[in-house]
Amino acid sequence: MTDRLPEVQRASRILEIISLINSQPETWTRKALAERYEISERQVTKDLDVIRHGLKLELGRVSGGGYYFHSLPKLPAVSYSLPEALAIFLASQVAGQVPGVPRQELAAAIGRLTAIMPVELRPLMSAAYLAPGTPTRDVHRERVLETLTQAIAARRCVDIVYEPASRAGARTERRVDPYAVVPNLHAWYLIGWCHLRDAVRIFKIDRIREITTVDERFMPDPEFSVDEFLAAAWGMNRPPDQSPEQVELLFSTTAARWVAEEQWHPSQSLEWLDDGRLRFTVRVPVTEEFARWVMRYGRECTVVRPDSLRAWLVDQARAMIDGYAVDGAS
């Protein structure tokens, strides 16, 4: 890994140079790029040669000024087999349900897929459903997601102003090394190294009020795995100071069918009992998110352990009864 570090850094720099020239044409000169990256103008020339001759991008330069692309870089034409095209179409439908994906670009991509589909399948493609969203929120999500994906590709840190859910209106300023952005239900989340907490943290995109890419670069821990990090929690709620616990639940014959149909967590284990009930065991931190998942099954689910989860559900049930009491009726 160490031997390849200069290669990785150069590849990251070249990708960022492409992004800079694309977003600010005729602005970046060879001297300005050399000063930005603290390298020689000769090295910048080599990087530009890779862009022009290696990547085959039409790079031009105004007289006495900066560089620009004659046309926006585009991906080459790609052919798909029918199963591949259908798989991409299904994935695009899922993406349409998570606000923040650029809808115009997604619709254009679906239109291109429609053009290569057999006539019999085109009505299916044209009826593709893109979930409506709140325009203002969608624009904010798109901007934050675009900034983060570019920062991840260039290995650049970001400064964010974040508003935690637990303290509405209270905002903190943080510098983050962005590792990945992941969707969950109808929201997007950033996973990255938080300089303020000196640890990996999860940030909900909608709670990022401001975001700025900075000059500082980072290299992710090669031993860190996003999949393993998420597998240690239930959903996206992962309190840093809460250890996993062994949870055992008994689902009724009715709820058992619903639960057994899904893979809820990598650590889950299912055992069918002789009476048709399902014993569900999993090892996760017992967060409020997990407790509310259990509560959604109501009387169809019995908590065997841990006792803390049983107590939480009892308190919630009593509070609900008190809330529905009318004129002192029990």
Side-chain angles (χ1 to χ4, degrees), residues 123-173:
L124 169 69
M125 304 290 287
S126 61
Y129 170 67
L130 296 180
T134 305
T136 301
R137 177 174 295 180
D138 284 355
V139 170
H140 174 73
R141 283 181 175 178
E142 289 180 19
R143 185 180 68 81
V144 175
L145 287 171
E146 181 181 5
T147 301
L148 286 173
T149 51
Q150 291 180 355
I152 292 170
R155 294 290 187 261
R156 298 283 294 270
C157 300
V158 294
D159 284 342
I160 64 173
V161 176
Y162 192 69
E163 184 175 312
S166 58
R167 302 190 305 276
R171 300 184 177 185
T172 60
E173 297 181 3

Side-chain angles (χ1 to χ4, degrees), residues 1-10 219:
M1 180 69 180
T2 304
D3 293 340
R4 295 192 59 193
L5 186 57
E7 297 178 20
V8 174
Q9 290 175 334
R10 187 187 183 198
M219 287 298 295

Side-chain angles (χ1 to χ4, degrees), residues 189 191 199-202 224-244 265 285 287-289:
Y189 294 83
I191 299 174
V200 177
R201 288 290 187 267
I202 298 176
F224 176 80
S225 167
V226 172
D227 292 338
E228 293 178 3
F229 179 78
L230 293 177
W234 182 275
M236 297 304 297
N237 192 340
R238 193 180 191 276
D241 56 350
Q242 192 168 351
S243 301
H265 194 268
T287 61
E288 184 171 330
E289 182 179 5

Side-chain angles (χ1 to χ4, degrees), residues 263-328:
Q263 177 68 35
W264 300 97
H265 194 268
S267 69
Q268 76 180 45
S269 176
L270 307 179
E271 178 188 354
W272 289 98
L273 304 182
D274 293 340
D275 59 5
R277 292 183 299 166
L278 179 69
R279 187 191 310 277
F280 179 95
T281 58
V282 66
R283 184 170 179 79
V284 293
V286 182
T287 61
E288 184 171 330
E289 182 179 5
F290 176 76
R292 292 192 181 280
W293 177 80
V294 174
M295 189 169 64
R296 66 188 278 196
Y297 291 98
R299 65 179 183 178
E300 306 294 337
C301 176
T302 301
V303 177
V304 178
R305 55 176 170 162
D307 291 339
S308 60
L309 179 56
R310 290 172 60 91
W312 186 88
L313 290 170
V314 169
D315 289 342
Q316 293 295 311
R318 285 175 176 163
M320 291 178 66
I321 292 173
D322 292 342
Y324 280 104
V326 180
D327 297 330

